[in-house]
């Protein structure tokens, strides 16, 4: 007998898991299916920022900026382990944007939404030890926030599961047919096993594949076009010692972030390039690497070259096609399309969106479905901590407590673990460590990731659940891969 759900969500990126969690918490029976790993595409390849989008003000996207600014405060409260405030320094280059324009933009940024946790903007005079070139003397500083994007996705999936949702990865939706007041959804697991479920409502949250799902899964014409815009990032050894990030202006009117990353590195990005072909094939090009190096080298005394790059990644943003002339001008706002009537099962599709506003998008999606589910409970996510976020001290104090309690933990590993798992780290820290693969990664942690967080592969563990791919050398990674092969069938899997 086929399992029946109120809501079936297709896509395990940030919008899919956000909708699944919100709907499950309102009392709906929810299932989410993801063809690969959670956050395996756009949602793990962002700039890792919770930000209002200072540059979106130049494109008059005031509604989006206001909503995103307010969401910074909400997400910092929901996820004190994986999110934290960050100050951004903007060097002033008079030939690019005049100071009055930047001050006006920062005034709006400070005042479009209420701020409790984040400080306002100030003017700066740079000191010689700030690492900038001598001719860059003045600038500005303002607040935004940083988040571990892939873990934000996983924690929302865990919250959905805690509310009763079924979360299944490595399971592709191959076809969905509307049959009156329900959907019949055909799914295929890795290995070829097919099965069907039925649902009162279908959510197309396939991200870059949202239009393709219409063509191939629904056999319908998409109501909207999308533009695939590739954003690439590179990681280099840390190029300055300050805690703040930098936002750099360039002659082409684009901006580039330089963000302190994983204690020893700088994350530099992003680009905006039209992408053709499969989103899975997005890669950072040599031209993009040179572009980012040139922007950084125009500002900092420490110069970087392509030889300094230790890792790159690229994500494809599925943006609503608003016929803008340039990729950077395409709106980052989202659109929710709903089809269906009282006699027909609804289809809700997500076009566009950004990481910062995922919770508001999910809430808006549930509101749109109220005519079909009038029994749904009210809004609840804004005041609910994500799994592991149930602690009140600063995350560094939590890390110190871990280091004192578990004497095999060094300070760096304790901080990494606290910032990744929060209070949930105790679910595995007290277990026998087992084999240590390197950089503080032990068998107990890997087992936890496989049993509780849907991790299957080396890439899942080293580049999405953590960024320890930056730390483990080739032989250590090979040994972890061998261990995963040996235990592939022995461990229970997250569901």
């Amino acid at each position: 007998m086929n399992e029946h759900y109120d809501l079936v969500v297709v896509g395990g990126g940030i919008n899919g898991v956000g909708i699944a969690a919100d709907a499950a918490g309102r009392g709906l029976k929810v299932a989410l299916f993801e063809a690969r790993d959670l956050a395996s595409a756009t949602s793990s390849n962002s700039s890792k920022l919770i930000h209002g989008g200072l540059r979106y003000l130049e494109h008059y996207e005031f509604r989006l900026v206001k909503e995103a600014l307010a969401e910074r405060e909400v997400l910092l409260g929901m996820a004190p382990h994986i999110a934290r405030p960050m100050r951004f320094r903007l060097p002033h280059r008079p030939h690019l944007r005049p100071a009055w324009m930047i001050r006006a933009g920062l005034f709006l940024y400070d005042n479009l939404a209420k701020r409790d946790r984040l400080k306002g903007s100030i003017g700066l005079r740079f000191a010689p030890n700030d690492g900038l070139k001598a001719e860059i003397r003045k600038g500005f500083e303002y607040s935004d926030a940083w988040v571990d994007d892939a873990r934000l996705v996983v924690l929302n999936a865990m919250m959905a599961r805690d509310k009763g949702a079924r979360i299944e990865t490595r399971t592709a939706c191959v076809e969905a047919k509307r049959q009156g007041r329900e959907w019949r959804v055909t799914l295929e697991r890795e290995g070829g096993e097919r099965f069907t479920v039925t649902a009162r409502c279908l959510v197309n949250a396939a991200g870059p594949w949202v239009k393709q799902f219409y063509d191939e899964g629904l056999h319908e014409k998409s109501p909207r076009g999308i533009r695939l815009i590739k954003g690439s990032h590179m990681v280099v050894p840390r190029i300055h010692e300050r805690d703040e990030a930098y936002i750099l202006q360039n002659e082409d009117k684009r901006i580039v972030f330089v963000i302190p990353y994983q204690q020893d590195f700088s994350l530099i990005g992003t680009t905006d390039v039209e992408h053709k072909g499969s989103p899975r094939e997005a890669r950072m090009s040599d031209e993009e690497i040179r572009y980012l190096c040139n922007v950084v080298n125009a500002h900092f005394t420490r110069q970087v070259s392509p030889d300094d790059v230790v890792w790159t990644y690229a994500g494809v943003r599925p943006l609503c096609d608003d016929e803008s002339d340039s990729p950077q001008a395409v709106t980052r706002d989202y659109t929710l399309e709903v089809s269906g009537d009282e006699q027909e099962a609804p289809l809700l599709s997500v076009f566009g969106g950004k990481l910062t506003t995922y919770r508001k998008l999910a809430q808006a999606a549930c509101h749109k479905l109220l005519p079909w589910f009038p029994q749904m409970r009210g809004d609840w996510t804004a005041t609910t901590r994500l799994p592991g976020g149930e602690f009140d001290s600063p995350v560094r104090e939590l890390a110190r407590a871990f280091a004192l309690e578990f004497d095999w933990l060094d300070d760096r590993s304790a901080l990494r673990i606290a910032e990744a798992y929060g209070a949930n780290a105790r679910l595995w820290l007290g277990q026998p460590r087992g084999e240590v693969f390197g950089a503080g990664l032990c068998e107990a942690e890997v087992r936890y990731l496989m049993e509780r967080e849907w991790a299957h592969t080396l890439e899942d563990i080293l580049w999405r659940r953590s960024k320890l791919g930056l730390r483990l050398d080739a032989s250590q990674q090979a040994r972890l891969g061998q261990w995963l092969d040996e235990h592939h069938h022995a461990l229970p899997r997250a569901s």
Side-chain angles (χ1 to χ4, degrees):
M1 184 176 176
N2 294 334
E3 192 78 20
H4 181 75
Y5 296 94
D6 293 320
L7 210 67
V8 163
V9 180
V10 177
I14 188 60
N15 292 328
V17 296
I19 292 170
D22 196 322
R26 293 172 190 266
L28 298 190
K29 186 178 181 182
V30 177
L32 178 145
F33 299 99
E34 160 57 42
R36 301 284 184 93
D37 183 30
L38 297 171
S40 59
T42 307
S43 295
S44 61
N45 291 304
S46 76
S47 296
K48 327 291 185 196
L49 298 180
I50 305 170
H51 66 135
L54 183 61
R55 68 186 177 93
Y56 304 154
L57 292 173
E58 291 185 318
H59 303 295
Y60 309 110
E61 299 224 42
F62 298 114
R63 190 213 67 80
L64 174 63
V65 174
K66 182 177 181 178
E67 181 174 275
L69 288 172
E71 280 300 283
R72 298 178 309 179
E73 299 274 340
V74 176
L75 295 181
L76 286 168
M78 289 174 65
H81 43 335
I82 63 166
R84 60 180 179 271
M86 182 171 279
R87 295 289 281 178
F88 286 76
R89 295 184 145 207
L90 195 166
H92 181 225
R93 303 178 75 194
H95 66 290
L96 297 180
R97 290 174 178 88
W100 68 263
M101 180 184 291
I102 297 173
R103 288 193 191 96
L106 289 174
F107 176 81
L108 286 172
Y109 213 67
D110 284 343
N111 293 284
L112 274 174
K114 182 182 177 183
R115 285 180 292 107
D116 291 322
R117 293 178 171 85
L118 299 173
K119 297 185 294 184
S121 60
I122 58 172
L124 287 178
R125 284 190 176 274
F126 293 113
N129 61 355
D130 286 334
L132 295 169
K133 290 190 169 180
E135 63 268 22
I136 302 175
R137 298 175 181 175
K138 296 180 182 180
F140 304 87
E141 187 177 289
Y142 67 94
S143 291
D144 264 324
W146 184 93
V147 70
D148 186 323
D149 52 4
R151 292 209 58 76
L152 183 66
V153 174
V154 170
L155 295 185
N156 271 274
M158 294 174 72
M159 184 161 72
R161 180 180 60 197
D162 291 345
K163 297 294 183 180
R166 171 184 180 182
I167 308 293
E168 194 160 335
T169 63
R170 268 95 182 164
T171 304
C173 179
V174 295
E175 188 175 55
K177 290 183 178 180
R178 187 188 264 128
Q179 298 178 336
R181 296 187 180 185
E182 72 176 23
W183 286 93
R184 185 177 179 84
V185 185
T186 303
L187 300 135
E188 183 176 301
R189 295 189 176 100
E190 280 186 357
E193 177 195 355
R194 288 198 173 192
F195 63 101
T196 61
V197 299
T198 55
R200 291 176 61 193
C201 174
L202 182 67
V203 175
N204 176 4
W209 294 273
V210 60
K211 185 174 181 297
Q212 183 179 326
F213 184 65
Y214 269 94
D215 298 336
E216 299 176 5
L218 298 168
H219 309 294
E220 294 181 16
K221 180 176 172 57
S222 173
R224 287 185 172 267
I226 61 169
R227 287 173 72 176
L228 298 180
I229 307 297
K230 182 179 71 167
S232 298
H233 298 77
M234 64 187 194
V235 174
V236 300
R238 193 155 178 172
I239 62 176
H240 67 83
E241 298 307 316
R242 299 196 61 90
D243 292 333
E244 299 89 355
Y246 282 80
I247 174 172
L248 310 179
Q249 303 178 79
N250 194 39
E251 274 70 9
D252 61 4
K253 300 297 184 182
R254 282 201 43 73
I255 57 96
V256 169
F257 293 110
V258 180
I259 303 167
Y261 190 62
Q262 298 293 313
Q263 302 183 49
D264 299 317
F265 302 95
S266 293
L267 174 64
I268 302 169
T270 180
T271 57
D272 272 324
V273 180
E274 294 272 4
H275 180 75
K276 305 297 182 183
S278 169
R280 299 274 179 210
E281 297 169 358
R283 300 290 184 273
M284 189 175 201
S285 67
D286 292 342
E287 181 182 0
E288 289 175 294
I289 291 174
R290 289 193 295 271
Y291 171 86
L292 293 179
C293 286
N294 289 338
V295 176
V296 169
N297 292 340
H299 290 81
F300 286 94
T301 55
R302 180 173 176 182
Q303 303 286 279
V304 296
S305 76
D307 291 338
D308 296 315
V309 176
V310 297
W311 181 46
T312 67
Y313 63 87
V316 176
R317 300 183 286 266
L319 305 180
C320 292
D321 190 354
D322 58 5
E323 300 182 352
S324 297
D325 293 333
S326 64
Q328 56 263 40
V330 182
T331 181
R332 268 56 176 173
D333 212 343
Y334 57 83
T335 299
L336 302 173
E337 291 281 351
V338 181
S339 64
D341 56 33
E342 291 180 358
Q343 304 303 315
E344 200 174 46
L347 167 68
L348 185 146
S349 297
V350 180
F351 292 88
K354 62 197 295 285
L355 189 73
T356 305
T357 53
Y358 88 89
R359 192 199 65 84
K360 290 290 284 188
L361 182 154
Q363 190 169 277
C366 289
H367 291 173
K368 282 187 172 289
L369 295 177
L370 265 172
W372 290 273
F373 301 102
Q375 79 279 14
M376 275 198 295
R377 295 193 283 269
D379 297 344
W380 64 279
T381 55
T383 56
T384 304
R385 298 275 180 104
L386 288 172
E390 306 87 352
F391 62 93
D392 295 318
S393 60
V395 70
R396 287 184 176 273
E397 288 187 19
L398 183 65
R400 281 193 287 271
F402 289 160
L404 288 171
E405 188 173 348
F406 304 99
D407 57 10
W408 52 269
L409 266 184
D410 60 72
D411 290 342
R412 291 171 64 90
S413 292
L415 181 59
R416 174 188 72 80
I417 289 165
E419 290 182 338
Y421 304 101
N424 274 4
R426 295 187 186 279
L427 297 176
W428 61 267
L429 279 174
Q431 301 297 315
R433 266 196 302 168
E435 184 173 350
V436 179
F437 301 103
L441 179 67
C442 66
E443 190 176 316
E445 182 176 0
V446 174
R447 287 178 181 273
Y448 170 84
L449 292 173
M450 296 173 74
E451 294 172 7
R452 296 286 298 164
E453 292 196 6
W454 299 276
H456 285 238
T457 69
L458 196 66
E459 184 179 5
D460 298 348
I461 292 166
L462 294 184
W463 295 110
R464 282 187 287 275
R465 305 305 183 279
S466 76
K467 293 297 179 287
L468 290 175
L470 291 167
R471 307 280 187 191
L472 270 65
D473 62 28
S475 64
Q476 291 170 325
Q477 292 191 30
R479 173 56 197 142
L480 175 58
Q482 182 184 14
W483 188 94
L484 292 173
D485 289 341
E486 293 168 355
H487 294 79
H488 180 70
H489 298 294
L491 291 175
R493 297 287 184 167
S495 62

